[in-house]
Amino acid sequence: RNPGRQPLPFGLGYHPYFRVPFRDAPGADCWVEAPARSFWELRDNLPTGVRQPVDALRDLNQPRRFDALTLDDVLTDLAPHATAQGLLRLGQIGQAPDNLVVSLWASPAFRELVVFTPPHRQAICLEPYTCTTDAINLQARGIDAGLQRLEPGQRWSAVVELQVTSNSQATAGA
């Protein structure tokens, strides 16, 4: 809620790290999937304002093996799967042969997804954002970066949900 007398520009992002593999298991093989059609071009880790179509390096529209990825990117132009509750599946991480899957669901306001593989290679981050990094400066340049605006007295809410499944029905794209 904005209790002030002026409009409140804001953005919200979460930074969950997931251990990979989820648990030690013989033959554990992890994959990542995220339905993005574009990514923000970065310079010194800040978006330039240019969006590019996902390339082979960043294309997670089909499950990709975690051990083949080295990413620190802001994905956008998401084409997520929807639920009856109005949440959108922004990404998944899975582990075979156990069929363990972590699915990231969020309200439509979360239009960006940062995907980061830390240098230690023991985790992956799927980070839902309502706007890209440096959105306030991009918006000032006339670039739609997803910056939210809350008028005086107005309320805003959204949901981010993590779902873990571990049965044989849980597969990428299901």
Side-chain angles (χ1 to χ4, degrees):
R1 180 176 177 275
N2 179 1
R5 294 184 180 164
Q6 301 294 322
L8 173 67
F10 76 97
L12 180 64
Y14 292 99
H15 309 279
Y17 276 55
F18 302 95
R19 178 183 187 259
V20 178
F22 301 140
R23 66 183 180 99
D24 295 325
D29 183 22
C30 295
W31 53 264
V32 181
E33 180 182 20
R37 294 181 288 246
S38 305
F39 69 97
W40 288 92
E41 178 184 271
L42 303 177
R43 186 172 300 124
D44 298 325
N45 290 325
L46 291 176
T48 63
V50 175
R51 287 182 260 194
Q52 300 283 345
V54 290
D55 53 16
L57 177 69
R58 296 169 186 87
D59 187 354
L60 301 174
N61 284 284
Q62 299 298 319
R64 300 258 318 268
R65 290 177 52 107
F66 166 76
D67 59 6
L69 300 174
T70 302
L71 299 170
D72 189 1
D73 295 282
V74 183
L75 303 180
T76 190
D77 195 15
L78 303 175
H81 303 278
T83 69
Q85 297 81 13
L87 298 180
L88 306 174
R89 190 177 73 206
L90 303 184
Q92 292 186 302
I93 307 164
Q95 179 173 316
D98 307 303
N99 288 322
L100 293 173
V101 178
V102 175
S103 299
L104 172 65
W105 298 86
S107 297
F110 289 89
R111 55 177 255 176
E112 318 294 334
L113 182 69
V114 173
V115 180
F116 175 55
T117 53
H120 58 64
R121 307 296 298 161
Q122 297 173 1
I124 187 165
C125 308
L126 293 183
E127 306 176 12
Y129 282 48
T130 59
C131 59
T132 190
T133 313
D134 202 30
I136 199 158
N137 290 313
L138 292 170
Q139 292 282 145
R141 292 176 29 210
I143 298 168
D144 178 12
L147 190 67
Q148 302 287 317
R149 180 183 166 114
L150 200 56
E151 296 299 327
Q154 190 177 22
R155 293 181 179 270
W156 183 89
S157 66
V159 173
V160 172
E161 180 178 296
L162 297 170
Q163 180 184 48
V164 179
T165 55
S166 62
N167 60 45
S168 60
Q169 301 294 321
T171 59

